[in-house]
Amino acid sequence: MGINGGFSAQFQLMASEFARALAASNFMIPIHVYGTINGYSEGEECKHVNYEWTCFFLPASKCTKQLLSEGKERNAGHLPPIDQSVPSRFKHLGTAFWWGAVQRYLFKLQPFVEEHIAHEAKFVMHPSFEFPFGLPIAGMHVRKGDKHIDGFVTHSFEEELSLVRQSPDCEVMNSRQECFINVLLNDTRTVEPLVGFYGSSNGSNHVSLHNRALYIISSALSRKTVILRRSDIDKFNYSSSNEEIAVNPKKLLPLLRHHSLHNQHHFSRGSSISEIAHGNGTLASEAMMNEKQQQSRSNAKSLSPEELSLLHDTYVIPLAIYVASDDANVLHTASKHGYFTDATGVSQQTASNGMFKTLLSHHEFGFNATLEIITDIYFLAHSSTLLGMAASQVFRTAVALSNVTNTLHHAKATDMNQIARIKMLSLKYDVPFVENFQ
């Protein structure tokens, strides 16, 4: 399926050829992608699909059988380059957007892979908390191993951690320079709490938008996200439950209802057909507004002294930090700090020689290795701040996926002085390098 490179190198090469084939057919003909992921899908677990990439992913087309019997193969060498493969309706969004959209389309996981990721998110990544989907997250990809062998300068966990503070997600810092996010009870912005890239886990493609403050407090109830007073941030500890300083989210719910009533003043100042028929469109809207404002003031008077005290305080939640690495020591340190991490496995065992080199002679490791990499990409792609090496295509795939879903707020590459070399290698293998790292 790809070149003699790692999982993400092969995935991105496939995505590049898929995008270019779509453009060559003027986006009018379905494209079927077939082949193995060299070294990764060659274990016995994938024998039932003839060791194809679809062992882990859904097929690129629903017309697979028809394409296999009637379709024609295309040589990638005769396809247009990626920057000439963006549909006209998306050109104003740039090549980076389309490159992310293509990868997102192909990154459709088989149900068993989604189940594996759901289990990791709920039970494995942290002893006390579930992965906080939908909330700001700093994702760190600390890659070492064969990147060092290839001559790339790697960076320490501490160096990447220090870069988190440069992200707009780091709204407040305590004396230890740990980051927090403001919880504004009157925050009416919406969040899209994606569990998967294509809707909820029940197969529905409908994902509802939630009031940001309500979603944060709901998350605190369901996933034990810690809410605390801003004055208590120096007492916070990532690796503990923080029960002594945590604010009970149930006590904040009446205050949200208070603000919800108070903020219901955005009725349309236009007129509906019914209002025009009665000749009182604008007046009716203003009367409804006044009624809601009076109800809000009445509701404010009914708040208890404790609720009034809570109402006038300021709150934060800690910025969640997720760490993916091929270095077991990094994961141990991150876990000790109380950050989210995956379980150790093949990545850490093969780091010194390089995973791909190991898998070529040990196909029995391929299945679990692939699950680990897909899981890393998945959680990184749900992060709003991303830090890592541009030389790592795991990191660049995650950046592309997070960017196209409008999740990404900040991405920083630690190897900016090596970008020229990385772009040269990308050009050599027809893999786009369109990310703009700061």
Side-chain angles (χ1 to χ4, degrees), residues 66-357:
Q66 184 177 356
L67 286 168
L68 286 173
S69 61
E70 302 175 15
K72 297 179 181 179
E73 286 193 12
R74 291 293 301 268
N75 189 318
H78 301 295
L79 298 175
I82 189 68
D83 59 351
Q84 297 176 24
S85 303
V86 183
S88 56
R89 63 180 293 190
F90 297 121
K91 280 187 176 178
H92 67 288
L93 296 172
T95 306
F97 171 85
W98 181 242
W99 177 228
V102 169
Q103 290 181 82
R104 180 190 178 191
Y105 175 78
L106 293 171
F107 204 86
K108 293 181 292 187
L109 305 175
Q110 290 285 2
F112 83 90
V113 182
E114 290 191 330
E115 290 172 7
H116 169 80
I117 290 172
H119 181 268
E120 289 273 321
K122 192 175 182 67
F123 300 111
V124 178
M125 303 183 72
H126 197 284
S128 303
F129 309 124
E130 295 179 32
F131 193 82
F133 290 109
L135 298 179
I137 304 162
M140 298 169 53
H141 186 233
V142 187
R143 179 72 183 275
K144 295 190 177 180
D146 57 346
K147 287 301 176 187
H148 179 69
I149 297 170
D150 291 341
F152 290 101
V153 177
T154 58
H155 293 76
S156 70
F157 168 66
E158 289 74 17
E159 285 177 298
E160 287 197 21
L161 188 59
S162 68
L163 296 176
V164 173
R165 301 171 194 127
Q166 300 177 15
S167 169
D169 290 330
C170 185
E171 297 177 348
V172 182
M173 280 195 293
N174 63 12
S175 61
R176 297 185 299 276
Q177 294 190 302
E178 295 168 330
C179 295
F180 297 82
I181 305 158
N182 286 314
V183 179
L184 307 175
L185 296 178
N186 61 347
D187 192 347
T188 57
R189 289 176 293 173
T190 56
V191 294
E192 188 173 315
L194 290 177
V195 173
F197 289 121
Y198 287 86
S200 63
S201 56
N202 63 9
S204 169
N205 285 332
H206 174 72
V207 180
S208 60
L209 294 173
H210 293 270
N211 174 287
R212 188 173 187 260
L214 178 59
Y215 186 71
I216 289 173
I217 292 174
S218 299
S219 179
L221 284 166
S222 62
R223 299 194 183 102
K224 301 179 183 177
T225 301
V226 178
I227 299 178
L228 59 153
R229 289 179 172 85
R230 186 164 171 171
S231 57
D232 286 332
I233 57 177
D234 280 334
K235 301 175 186 176
F236 173 77
N237 188 329
Y238 267 105
S239 58
S240 75
S241 63
N242 298 282
E243 290 181 5
E244 69 282 358
I245 57 172
V247 176
N248 186 345
K250 291 182 179 179
K251 292 185 177 181
L252 297 179
L253 288 175
L255 310 184
L256 280 180
R257 286 194 288 269
H258 166 83
H259 278 296
S260 177
L261 288 169
H262 184 72
N263 286 314
Q264 285 180 16
H265 58 269
H266 45 78
F267 300 102
S268 170
R269 295 190 66 84
S271 302
S272 68
I273 293 175
S274 173
E275 289 167 343
I276 292 171
H278 290 87
N280 60 352
T282 302
L283 289 175
S285 294
E286 290 180 350
M288 289 172 67
M289 188 189 310
N290 290 334
E291 181 182 350
K292 290 294 183 182
Q293 288 173 340
Q294 289 173 8
Q295 187 177 0
S296 172
R297 286 192 290 270
S298 174
N299 186 70
K301 293 177 183 177
S302 66
L303 293 176
S304 69
E306 181 186 10
E307 288 172 333
L308 285 170
S309 175
L310 288 169
L311 180 64
H312 294 101
D313 215 328
T314 53
Y315 305 93
V316 296
I317 58 172
L319 175 63
I321 296 176
Y322 165 62
V323 181
S325 180
D326 57 1
D327 187 327
N329 291 325
V330 167
L331 293 182
H332 176 74
T333 301
S335 180
K336 193 174 178 180
H337 276 72
Y339 305 146
F340 291 90
T341 63
D342 288 337
T344 57
V346 181
S347 300
Q348 294 74 39
Q349 296 167 12
T350 60
S352 58
N353 294 322
M355 180 183 285
F356 178 65
K357 182 179 178 181

Side-chain angles (χ1 to χ4, degrees), residues 345-397:
V346 181
S347 300
Q348 294 74 39
Q349 296 167 12
T350 60
S352 58
N353 294 322
M355 180 183 285
F356 178 65
K357 182 179 178 181
T358 303
L359 296 183
L360 288 178
S361 57
H362 292 278
H363 292 167
E364 69 272 18
F365 296 153
F367 184 81
N368 287 334
T370 308
L371 276 182
E372 288 175 25
I373 297 171
I374 290 173
T375 300
D376 282 349
I377 293 173
Y378 186 92
F379 289 122
L380 288 168
H382 282 83
S383 300
S384 51
T385 290
L386 280 169
L387 307 164
M389 295 178 66
S392 167
Q393 285 173 271
V394 167
F395 176 65
R396 295 204 333 254
T397 299

